[in-house]
Amino acid sequence: MTFANQVAVITGASSGIGWALAKVLAREGCKVGLMARRRDKLVALANEIQAAGGTATYAPADVGDRAQTVAAVRELAARLGPVDLLIANAGVGAPTTVEPLNVEAQEKMFRVNVFGVIYAIEAVLPNMLSRGRGHLAAVSSLGAYKGLPGESGYTASKAAVNTFMEGLRIQLRDRHIAVTTICPGFVATPMTEVNQFKMPFLLTADEAARRIVGALRRRKKVYDFPWQMGLMMKLTAFLPDWVIARSMQKYNDDPPFPKEPL
C-alpha cells in the first residue's frame, strides 16, 4: 500500500520512535497529526516536516487522560481529514520496586501504556467503521513476552497491549480495518538512555521507524524486531526462574529510574 495522501495520527510524537515515524511517513506523502504532552517539541517537529515540504499539524495532550486524548485526536482529524492510520506509540517505563512497592508508578504506566492506546483508538474507530476502512497500530515491546523481575509493571502493561490488540484484530477482521501490534526490542530513545547495561541489538530510532513503516505497509498482524532479540525473549519462557533472577540481580540492585517523574 502507499501512504501518499493518507492521514496518520501518531501519539508520543515528541521524541524517539514517534518523532522518527512522523518524519518517515511525511516523506512518504502522509499528512501527519502529532500528539504528545510537550507542545514545544511538537512545534519543532511540525516545523521540520513542513520545511521539508511535508504536511503536519499538532495537538498537545496527555494520553493518560481520556478526555484530552479523544479531543486532541478529533482536533487533528478536523484539520487533516479522517484518520486512515493511527499509531498509538506513547509509552513510559519505570522499574517495579518491592521495598516499597511503587504502586503510583505502576498505575501511571498502565494509564499511558494501556489506556492511552484504548483512548486513542476510541477517538478514531467510529469513523473508520463508518467508512469501512482504516489501520490501527500500537507500539508495544518484546518485553510483553516475559514478566521480568524489576520490570513487572512495564512488561505486564505491554502484555496487556498485545492481548487487547489481538482481540481487536480478530473482532475487526471482517470490517476492513487492519490491526498491527509492533513489538520492538531496544531502541535508542530518551526512555532507554538511562539504562546502564549494554543493550543487545540496539537500534536507532530512525532505523526502528523505517522498519515499522515497512511492516505497516505490509499490514502485518504482529511485528517483532529485531528478530534476534525477539528469539531471545521467546526463549526466556523455557529458562528456570533462578537463571533470570541471577541475570537481572545487578539491574535490580540499582534500577535505572527515568530522568523525569512519570
Short mmCIF file of all heavy atoms in Angstrom, two decimals, residues 194-254:
data_model
loop_
_atom_site.label_atom_id
_atom_site.label_comp_id
_atom_site.label_asym_id
_atom_site.label_seq_id
_atom_site.Cartn_x
_atom_site.Cartn_y
_atom_site.Cartn_z
N VAL A 194 18.67 5.89 30.01
CA VAL A 194 19.05 5.76 31.41
C VAL A 194 19.61 4.38 31.73
O VAL A 194 20.18 4.17 32.80
CB VAL A 194 17.84 6.04 32.33
CG1 VAL A 194 17.33 7.46 32.15
CG2 VAL A 194 16.72 5.03 32.11
N ASN A 195 19.45 3.42 30.82
CA ASN A 195 19.94 2.06 31.07
C ASN A 195 21.46 2.06 31.18
O ASN A 195 22.16 2.63 30.34
CB ASN A 195 19.49 1.11 29.95
CG ASN A 195 18.00 0.85 29.97
OD1 ASN A 195 17.35 1.06 31.00
ND2 ASN A 195 17.46 0.40 28.87
N GLN A 196 21.95 1.39 32.20
CA GLN A 196 23.38 1.36 32.46
C GLN A 196 24.03 0.07 31.96
O GLN A 196 25.22 -0.15 32.18
CB GLN A 196 23.63 1.54 33.97
CG GLN A 196 23.09 2.85 34.51
CD GLN A 196 23.09 2.90 36.02
OE1 GLN A 196 23.72 2.09 36.68
NE2 GLN A 196 22.37 3.87 36.59
N PHE A 197 23.27 -0.78 31.32
CA PHE A 197 23.80 -2.05 30.82
C PHE A 197 23.88 -2.00 29.30
O PHE A 197 23.24 -1.17 28.66
CB PHE A 197 22.91 -3.20 31.28
CG PHE A 197 21.46 -3.08 30.86
CD1 PHE A 197 21.02 -3.59 29.65
CD2 PHE A 197 20.55 -2.42 31.68
CE1 PHE A 197 19.69 -3.46 29.25
CE2 PHE A 197 19.22 -2.29 31.29
CZ PHE A 197 18.79 -2.81 30.08
N LYS A 198 24.64 -2.89 28.73
CA LYS A 198 24.74 -2.98 27.27
C LYS A 198 23.45 -3.57 26.73
O LYS A 198 23.06 -4.68 27.10
CB LYS A 198 25.93 -3.85 26.87
CG LYS A 198 26.10 -3.99 25.36
CD LYS A 198 27.33 -4.79 25.01
CE LYS A 198 27.43 -5.05 23.52
NZ LYS A 198 27.44 -3.83 22.71
N MET A 199 22.78 -2.82 25.88
CA MET A 199 21.51 -3.26 25.32
C MET A 199 21.76 -4.04 24.02
O MET A 199 22.26 -3.47 23.04
CB MET A 199 20.59 -2.06 25.07
CG MET A 199 20.14 -1.37 26.34
SD MET A 199 19.16 0.14 26.06
CE MET A 199 20.49 1.34 25.79
N PRO A 200 21.44 -5.33 24.02
CA PRO A 200 21.73 -6.13 22.82
C PRO A 200 20.88 -5.73 21.63
O PRO A 200 19.71 -5.38 21.77
CB PRO A 200 21.41 -7.56 23.28
CG PRO A 200 20.45 -7.40 24.42
CD PRO A 200 20.83 -6.12 25.09
N PHE A 201 21.52 -5.76 20.45
CA PHE A 201 20.84 -5.49 19.18
C PHE A 201 20.14 -4.12 19.18
O PHE A 201 19.05 -3.95 18.65
CB PHE A 201 19.83 -6.60 18.85
CG PHE A 201 20.41 -7.98 18.93
CD1 PHE A 201 20.08 -8.84 19.97
CD2 PHE A 201 21.32 -8.41 17.98
CE1 PHE A 201 20.63 -10.12 20.05
CE2 PHE A 201 21.87 -9.69 18.04
CZ PHE A 201 21.53 -10.54 19.08
N LEU A 202 20.80 -3.14 19.80
CA LEU A 202 20.24 -1.79 19.91
C LEU A 202 20.09 -1.15 18.53
O LEU A 202 21.00 -1.18 17.71
CB LEU A 202 21.16 -0.93 20.77
CG LEU A 202 20.75 0.53 20.99
CD1 LEU A 202 19.49 0.60 21.86
CD2 LEU A 202 21.89 1.30 21.66
N LEU A 203 18.91 -0.57 18.28
CA LEU A 203 18.63 0.12 17.03
C LEU A 203 18.48 1.62 17.28
O LEU A 203 18.08 2.04 18.37
CB LEU A 203 17.32 -0.39 16.40
CG LEU A 203 17.26 -1.85 15.98
CD1 LEU A 203 15.85 -2.19 15.52
CD2 LEU A 203 18.26 -2.16 14.89
N THR A 204 18.78 2.42 16.27
CA THR A 204 18.46 3.84 16.35
C THR A 204 16.96 4.02 16.14
O THR A 204 16.28 3.14 15.57
CB THR A 204 19.22 4.64 15.28
OG1 THR A 204 18.74 4.24 13.98
CG2 THR A 204 20.72 4.42 15.38
N ALA A 205 16.43 5.15 16.58
CA ALA A 205 15.01 5.43 16.38
C ALA A 205 14.68 5.52 14.89
O ALA A 205 13.61 5.07 14.45
CB ALA A 205 14.62 6.72 17.09
N ASP A 206 15.60 6.07 14.10
CA ASP A 206 15.36 6.18 12.66
C ASP A 206 15.25 4.81 12.00
O ASP A 206 14.39 4.58 11.15
CB ASP A 206 16.48 6.98 11.99
CG ASP A 206 16.43 8.47 12.34
OD1 ASP A 206 15.36 8.93 12.77
OD2 ASP A 206 17.46 9.15 12.19
N GLU A 207 16.14 3.89 12.39
CA GLU A 207 16.09 2.55 11.81
C GLU A 207 14.82 1.82 12.26
O GLU A 207 14.17 1.12 11.47
CB GLU A 207 17.33 1.75 12.22
CG GLU A 207 17.33 0.28 11.79
CD GLU A 207 17.26 0.07 10.29
OE1 GLU A 207 17.53 1.01 9.53
OE2 GLU A 207 16.93 -1.06 9.86
N ALA A 208 14.46 1.98 13.53
CA ALA A 208 13.23 1.36 14.03
C ALA A 208 12.02 1.88 13.26
O ALA A 208 11.14 1.10 12.86
CB ALA A 208 13.07 1.62 15.52
N ALA A 209 11.97 3.19 13.04
CA ALA A 209 10.85 3.78 12.31
C ALA A 209 10.78 3.26 10.89
O ALA A 209 9.69 2.96 10.37
CB ALA A 209 10.98 5.31 12.30
N ARG A 210 11.93 3.14 10.23
CA ARG A 210 11.94 2.62 8.86
C ARG A 210 11.37 1.21 8.80
O ARG A 210 10.57 0.87 7.92
CB ARG A 210 13.37 2.63 8.32
CG ARG A 210 13.49 2.24 6.86
CD ARG A 210 14.94 2.08 6.44
NE ARG A 210 15.59 0.96 7.11
CZ ARG A 210 15.42 -0.31 6.75
NH1 ARG A 210 14.63 -0.62 5.74
NH2 ARG A 210 16.04 -1.26 7.41
N ARG A 211 11.76 0.38 9.76
CA ARG A 211 11.27 -1.00 9.80
C ARG A 211 9.77 -1.04 10.12
O ARG A 211 9.03 -1.84 9.54
CB ARG A 211 12.05 -1.81 10.83
CG ARG A 211 13.52 -1.97 10.51
CD ARG A 211 14.17 -2.98 11.43
NE ARG A 211 15.62 -3.03 11.27
CZ ARG A 211 16.38 -4.01 11.74
NH1 ARG A 211 15.83 -5.01 12.42
NH2 ARG A 211 17.69 -3.99 11.56
N ILE A 212 9.35 -0.19 11.03
CA ILE A 212 7.93 -0.18 11.40
C ILE A 212 7.06 0.23 10.22
O ILE A 212 6.03 -0.38 9.95
CB ILE A 212 7.70 0.77 12.60
CG1 ILE A 212 8.32 0.16 13.87
CG2 ILE A 212 6.20 1.03 12.82
CD1 ILE A 212 8.39 1.14 15.04
N VAL A 213 7.47 1.26 9.50
CA VAL A 213 6.69 1.71 8.34
C VAL A 213 6.62 0.59 7.29
O VAL A 213 5.58 0.39 6.67
CB VAL A 213 7.28 3.01 7.76
CG1 VAL A 213 6.64 3.34 6.41
CG2 VAL A 213 7.06 4.16 8.74
N GLY A 214 7.69 -0.14 7.12
CA GLY A 214 7.66 -1.28 6.21
C GLY A 214 6.64 -2.33 6.64
O GLY A 214 5.91 -2.89 5.82
N ALA A 215 6.57 -2.59 7.95
CA ALA A 215 5.61 -3.56 8.48
C ALA A 215 4.18 -3.06 8.32
O ALA A 215 3.26 -3.83 8.00
CB ALA A 215 5.91 -3.86 9.94
N LEU A 216 3.97 -1.76 8.52
CA LEU A 216 2.64 -1.18 8.36
C LEU A 216 2.21 -1.24 6.89
O LEU A 216 1.04 -1.50 6.59
CB LEU A 216 2.63 0.27 8.84
CG LEU A 216 2.83 0.47 10.35
CD1 LEU A 216 2.97 1.96 10.67
CD2 LEU A 216 1.69 -0.14 11.14
N ARG A 217 3.15 -1.03 5.99
CA ARG A 217 2.83 -1.11 4.57
C ARG A 217 2.34 -2.52 4.21
O ARG A 217 1.44 -2.68 3.38
CB ARG A 217 4.05 -0.74 3.73
CG ARG A 217 3.79 -0.73 2.23
CD ARG A 217 5.01 -0.34 1.43
NE ARG A 217 5.32 1.07 1.60
CZ ARG A 217 6.36 1.55 2.28
NH1 ARG A 217 7.21 0.71 2.86
NH2 ARG A 217 6.57 2.84 2.38
N ARG A 218 2.94 -3.53 4.85
CA ARG A 218 2.55 -4.92 4.59
C ARG A 218 1.34 -5.34 5.43
O ARG A 218 0.89 -6.46 5.34
CB ARG A 218 3.72 -5.85 4.88
CG ARG A 218 4.95 -5.57 4.04
CD ARG A 218 6.00 -6.66 4.16
NE ARG A 218 6.45 -6.89 5.53
CZ ARG A 218 7.42 -6.21 6.14
NH1 ARG A 218 8.03 -5.21 5.49
NH2 ARG A 218 7.80 -6.50 7.37
N ARG A 219 0.86 -4.42 6.26
CA ARG A 219 -0.26 -4.69 7.16
C ARG A 219 -0.03 -5.95 7.99
O ARG A 219 -0.90 -6.82 8.12
CB ARG A 219 -1.58 -4.78 6.37
CG ARG A 219 -1.99 -3.42 5.81
CD ARG A 219 -3.31 -3.44 5.09
NE ARG A 219 -3.70 -2.07 4.74
CZ ARG A 219 -4.72 -1.42 5.28
NH1 ARG A 219 -5.48 -2.01 6.17
NH2 ARG A 219 -5.00 -0.18 4.91
N LYS A 220 1.15 -6.01 8.57
CA LYS A 220 1.50 -7.13 9.44
C LYS A 220 0.56 -7.17 10.65
O LYS A 220 0.17 -6.13 11.18
CB LYS A 220 2.93 -6.97 9.93
CG LYS A 220 3.99 -7.13 8.87
CD LYS A 220 4.37 -8.57 8.65
CE LYS A 220 5.15 -9.13 9.82
NZ LYS A 220 5.57 -10.53 9.56
N LYS A 221 0.22 -8.37 11.08
CA LYS A 221 -0.58 -8.52 12.29
C LYS A 221 0.24 -8.19 13.53
O LYS A 221 -0.17 -7.40 14.38
CB LYS A 221 -1.14 -9.93 12.38
CG LYS A 221 -2.12 -10.30 11.27
CD LYS A 221 -2.57 -11.74 11.40
CE LYS A 221 -3.53 -12.13 10.29
NZ LYS A 221 -3.93 -13.56 10.38
N VAL A 222 1.39 -8.83 13.63
CA VAL A 222 2.32 -8.58 14.74
C VAL A 222 3.71 -8.45 14.13
O VAL A 222 4.10 -9.26 13.28
CB VAL A 222 2.31 -9.73 15.77
CG1 VAL A 222 3.31 -9.46 16.89
CG2 VAL A 222 0.91 -9.94 16.34
N TYR A 223 4.44 -7.43 14.55
CA TYR A 223 5.79 -7.23 14.03
C TYR A 223 6.77 -7.18 15.19
O TYR A 223 6.82 -6.21 15.94
CB TYR A 223 5.86 -5.94 13.20
CG TYR A 223 7.23 -5.69 12.63
CD1 TYR A 223 7.91 -6.68 11.93
CD2 TYR A 223 7.85 -4.45 12.78
CE1 TYR A 223 9.17 -6.45 11.40
CE2 TYR A 223 9.11 -4.21 12.25
CZ TYR A 223 9.76 -5.21 11.56
OH TYR A 223 11.01 -4.99 11.04
N ASP A 224 7.53 -8.27 15.37
CA ASP A 224 8.58 -8.37 16.38
C ASP A 224 9.92 -8.09 15.72
O ASP A 224 10.26 -8.71 14.70
CB ASP A 224 8.63 -9.78 16.99
CG ASP A 224 7.32 -10.19 17.66
OD1 ASP A 224 6.59 -9.31 18.12
OD2 ASP A 224 7.05 -11.41 17.73
N PHE A 225 10.70 -7.18 16.30
CA PHE A 225 12.01 -6.89 15.71
C PHE A 225 12.94 -6.27 16.76
O PHE A 225 12.46 -5.71 17.74
CB PHE A 225 11.84 -5.94 14.51
CG PHE A 225 11.52 -4.51 14.89
CD1 PHE A 225 12.50 -3.53 14.87
CD2 PHE A 225 10.23 -4.14 15.29
CE1 PHE A 225 12.20 -2.21 15.23
CE2 PHE A 225 9.93 -2.84 15.64
CZ PHE A 225 10.93 -1.87 15.60
N PRO A 226 14.26 -6.42 16.55
CA PRO A 226 14.90 -7.26 15.56
C PRO A 226 14.68 -8.73 15.88
O PRO A 226 14.44 -9.07 17.05
CB PRO A 226 16.38 -6.88 15.68
CG PRO A 226 16.53 -6.38 17.08
CD PRO A 226 15.22 -5.73 17.43
N TRP A 227 14.76 -9.57 14.88
CA TRP A 227 14.38 -10.97 15.08
C TRP A 227 15.25 -11.66 16.11
O TRP A 227 14.79 -12.54 16.86
CB TRP A 227 14.41 -11.73 13.75
CG TRP A 227 15.79 -11.94 13.17
CD1 TRP A 227 16.42 -11.18 12.25
CD2 TRP A 227 16.68 -13.02 13.49
NE1 TRP A 227 17.67 -11.68 11.97
CE2 TRP A 227 17.86 -12.82 12.71
CE3 TRP A 227 16.62 -14.11 14.35
CZ2 TRP A 227 18.96 -13.68 12.78
CZ3 TRP A 227 17.72 -14.96 14.42
CH2 TRP A 227 18.87 -14.75 13.64
N GLN A 228 16.54 -11.24 16.20
CA GLN A 228 17.44 -11.89 17.16
C GLN A 228 16.97 -11.66 18.59
O GLN A 228 16.97 -12.57 19.42
CB GLN A 228 18.87 -11.36 16.99
CG GLN A 228 19.47 -11.57 15.61
CD GLN A 228 19.31 -10.36 14.72
OE1 GLN A 228 18.31 -9.65 14.79
NE2 GLN A 228 20.29 -10.12 13.86
N MET A 229 16.55 -10.41 18.87
CA MET A 229 16.07 -10.09 20.20
C MET A 229 14.73 -10.75 20.46
O MET A 229 14.45 -11.21 21.57
CB MET A 229 15.96 -8.56 20.36
CG MET A 229 15.74 -8.09 21.79
SD MET A 229 17.16 -8.45 22.84
CE MET A 229 16.39 -8.28 24.46
N GLY A 230 13.90 -10.81 19.44
CA GLY A 230 12.62 -11.49 19.58
C GLY A 230 12.80 -12.95 19.94
O GLY A 230 12.09 -13.50 20.80
N LEU A 231 13.74 -13.60 19.28
CA LEU A 231 14.02 -15.01 19.58
C LEU A 231 14.53 -15.17 21.00
O LEU A 231 14.10 -16.07 21.74
CB LEU A 231 15.05 -15.55 18.58
CG LEU A 231 15.46 -17.00 18.76
CD1 LEU A 231 14.25 -17.93 18.60
CD2 LEU A 231 16.56 -17.38 17.76
N MET A 232 15.42 -14.28 21.43
CA MET A 232 15.94 -14.34 22.80
C MET A 232 14.83 -14.22 23.82
O MET A 232 14.77 -14.99 24.79
CB MET A 232 16.96 -13.22 23.02
CG MET A 232 18.32 -13.46 22.42
SD MET A 232 19.45 -12.07 22.71
CE MET A 232 19.46 -11.99 24.51
N MET A 233 13.91 -13.28 23.61
CA MET A 233 12.83 -13.07 24.58
C MET A 233 11.91 -14.28 24.64
O MET A 233 11.45 -14.68 25.71
CB MET A 233 12.04 -11.81 24.22
CG MET A 233 12.75 -10.52 24.54
SD MET A 233 13.24 -10.37 26.27
CE MET A 233 11.65 -10.50 27.10
N LYS A 234 11.62 -14.87 23.50
CA LYS A 234 10.72 -16.02 23.50
C LYS A 234 11.37 -17.25 24.12
O LYS A 234 10.69 -18.08 24.73
CB LYS A 234 10.23 -16.29 22.09
CG LYS A 234 9.25 -15.20 21.62
CD LYS A 234 8.88 -15.29 20.17
CE LYS A 234 7.96 -14.13 19.80
NZ LYS A 234 7.60 -14.12 18.37
N LEU A 235 12.69 -17.35 24.00
CA LEU A 235 13.40 -18.47 24.62
C LEU A 235 13.43 -18.36 26.14
O LEU A 235 13.59 -19.37 26.84
CB LEU A 235 14.82 -18.55 24.08
CG LEU A 235 14.97 -19.06 22.64
CD1 LEU A 235 16.43 -18.98 22.19
CD2 LEU A 235 14.43 -20.48 22.50
N THR A 236 13.28 -17.14 26.68
CA THR A 236 13.29 -17.00 28.15
C THR A 236 12.14 -17.74 28.80
O THR A 236 12.20 -18.06 29.99
CB THR A 236 13.21 -15.51 28.57
OG1 THR A 236 11.99 -14.94 28.07
CG2 THR A 236 14.39 -14.73 28.06
N ALA A 237 11.09 -18.05 28.03
CA ALA A 237 9.96 -18.80 28.60
C ALA A 237 10.39 -20.18 29.07
O ALA A 237 9.72 -20.80 29.91
CB ALA A 237 8.85 -18.92 27.56
N PHE A 238 11.50 -20.68 28.53
CA PHE A 238 11.96 -22.03 28.88
C PHE A 238 13.04 -22.03 29.94
O PHE A 238 13.51 -23.09 30.35
CB PHE A 238 12.47 -22.74 27.61
CG PHE A 238 11.43 -22.84 26.53
CD1 PHE A 238 11.41 -21.92 25.49
CD2 PHE A 238 10.46 -23.83 26.56
CE1 PHE A 238 10.46 -22.00 24.49
CE2 PHE A 238 9.50 -23.91 25.57
CZ PHE A 238 9.49 -23.00 24.53
N LEU A 239 13.45 -20.85 30.39
CA LEU A 239 14.51 -20.76 31.39
C LEU A 239 13.92 -20.87 32.80
O LEU A 239 12.83 -20.34 33.07
CB LEU A 239 15.26 -19.44 31.27
CG LEU A 239 16.10 -19.23 29.99
CD1 LEU A 239 16.70 -17.83 29.99
CD2 LEU A 239 17.20 -20.28 29.89
N PRO A 240 14.62 -21.51 33.72
CA PRO A 240 14.15 -21.54 35.11
C PRO A 240 14.23 -20.14 35.73
O PRO A 240 15.05 -19.31 35.33
CB PRO A 240 15.10 -22.52 35.79
CG PRO A 240 16.31 -22.58 34.91
CD PRO A 240 15.84 -22.31 33.52
N ASP A 241 13.38 -19.91 36.71
CA ASP A 241 13.32 -18.59 37.34
C ASP A 241 14.67 -18.14 37.90
O ASP A 241 15.02 -16.96 37.83
CB ASP A 241 12.29 -18.59 38.47
CG ASP A 241 10.86 -18.64 37.95
OD1 ASP A 241 10.67 -18.56 36.72
OD2 ASP A 241 9.93 -18.78 38.78
N TRP A 242 15.45 -19.10 38.47
CA TRP A 242 16.69 -18.70 39.12
C TRP A 242 17.69 -18.11 38.12
O TRP A 242 18.49 -17.24 38.48
CB TRP A 242 17.32 -19.86 39.90
CG TRP A 242 17.86 -20.99 39.06
CD1 TRP A 242 17.22 -22.13 38.69
CD2 TRP A 242 19.18 -21.06 38.48
NE1 TRP A 242 18.04 -22.92 37.93
CE2 TRP A 242 19.24 -22.30 37.78
CE3 TRP A 242 20.29 -20.22 38.48
CZ2 TRP A 242 20.39 -22.70 37.09
CZ3 TRP A 242 21.43 -20.63 37.80
CH2 TRP A 242 21.47 -21.85 37.11
N VAL A 243 17.64 -18.58 36.88
CA VAL A 243 18.56 -18.06 35.87
C VAL A 243 18.24 -16.60 35.57
O VAL A 243 19.12 -15.74 35.50
CB VAL A 243 18.49 -18.91 34.58
CG1 VAL A 243 19.30 -18.25 33.46
CG2 VAL A 243 18.99 -20.32 34.85
N ILE A 244 16.95 -16.31 35.41
CA ILE A 244 16.54 -14.94 35.10
C ILE A 244 16.79 -14.03 36.31
O ILE A 244 17.27 -12.90 36.16
CB ILE A 244 15.06 -14.91 34.68
CG1 ILE A 244 14.88 -15.71 33.39
CG2 ILE A 244 14.57 -13.48 34.50
CD1 ILE A 244 13.45 -15.90 32.97
N ALA A 245 16.49 -14.53 37.50
CA ALA A 245 16.72 -13.74 38.71
C ALA A 245 18.19 -13.38 38.85
O ALA A 245 18.54 -12.23 39.16
CB ALA A 245 16.24 -14.51 39.93
N ARG A 246 19.07 -14.35 38.61
CA ARG A 246 20.51 -14.10 38.74
C ARG A 246 21.00 -13.14 37.67
O ARG A 246 21.80 -12.25 37.95
CB ARG A 246 21.27 -15.42 38.67
CG ARG A 246 22.78 -15.27 38.85
CD ARG A 246 23.47 -16.60 38.96
NE ARG A 246 23.05 -17.33 40.15
CZ ARG A 246 23.48 -18.56 40.46
NH1 ARG A 246 24.31 -19.19 39.64
NH2 ARG A 246 23.06 -19.14 41.56
N SER A 247 20.50 -13.30 36.45
CA SER A 247 20.97 -12.45 35.36
C SER A 247 20.54 -11.00 35.53
O SER A 247 21.18 -10.09 35.00
CB SER A 247 20.46 -12.99 34.01
OG SER A 247 19.05 -12.87 33.92
N MET A 248 19.46 -10.77 36.28
CA MET A 248 18.96 -9.41 36.46
C MET A 248 19.21 -8.86 37.87
O MET A 248 18.70 -7.80 38.22
CB MET A 248 17.47 -9.34 36.13
CG MET A 248 17.19 -9.58 34.65
SD MET A 248 15.51 -9.14 34.17
CE MET A 248 15.51 -7.36 34.40
N GLN A 249 20.00 -9.57 38.65
CA GLN A 249 20.23 -9.13 40.03
C GLN A 249 20.92 -7.78 40.09
O GLN A 249 20.54 -6.90 40.86
CB GLN A 249 21.05 -10.17 40.80
CG GLN A 249 21.25 -9.79 42.27
CD GLN A 249 21.82 -10.92 43.09
OE1 GLN A 249 21.93 -12.05 42.63
NE2 GLN A 249 22.21 -10.63 44.31
N LYS A 250 21.94 -7.58 39.27
CA LYS A 250 22.66 -6.31 39.27
C LYS A 250 21.72 -5.17 38.86
O LYS A 250 21.77 -4.07 39.43
CB LYS A 250 23.85 -6.38 38.31
CG LYS A 250 24.71 -5.13 38.33
CD LYS A 250 25.94 -5.29 37.42
CE LYS A 250 26.79 -4.03 37.44
NZ LYS A 250 27.97 -4.15 36.55
N TYR A 251 20.87 -5.43 37.89
CA TYR A 251 19.89 -4.43 37.45
C TYR A 251 18.98 -4.04 38.61
O TYR A 251 18.71 -2.87 38.83
CB TYR A 251 19.07 -5.01 36.30
CG TYR A 251 17.92 -4.14 35.84
CD1 TYR A 251 18.11 -3.21 34.82
CD2 TYR A 251 16.66 -4.25 36.40
CE1 TYR A 251 17.06 -2.41 34.38
CE2 TYR A 251 15.60 -3.46 35.97
CZ TYR A 251 15.81 -2.54 34.96
OH TYR A 251 14.77 -1.75 34.55
N ASN A 252 18.51 -5.04 39.36
CA ASN A 252 17.58 -4.76 40.45
C ASN A 252 18.25 -4.16 41.68
O ASN A 252 17.59 -3.52 42.50
CB ASN A 252 16.82 -6.04 40.83
CG ASN A 252 15.70 -6.33 39.86
OD1 ASN A 252 14.73 -5.59 39.78
ND2 ASN A 252 15.84 -7.40 39.08
N ASP A 253 19.56 -4.36 41.80
CA ASP A 253 20.29 -3.72 42.90
C ASP A 253 20.38 -2.21 42.70
O ASP A 253 20.43 -1.45 43.67
CB ASP A 253 21.70 -4.31 43.01
CG ASP A 253 21.70 -5.72 43.58
OD1 ASP A 253 20.67 -6.10 44.17
OD2 ASP A 253 22.71 -6.43 43.40
N ASP A 254 20.39 -1.78 41.44
CA ASP A 254 20.49 -0.35 41.14
C ASP A 254 19.66 -0.06 39.89
O ASP A 254 20.22 0.22 38.81
CB ASP A 254 21.95 0.05 40.93
CG ASP A 254 22.12 1.55 40.73
OD1 ASP A 254 21.23 2.32 41.15
OD2 ASP A 254 23.14 1.95 40.12
#
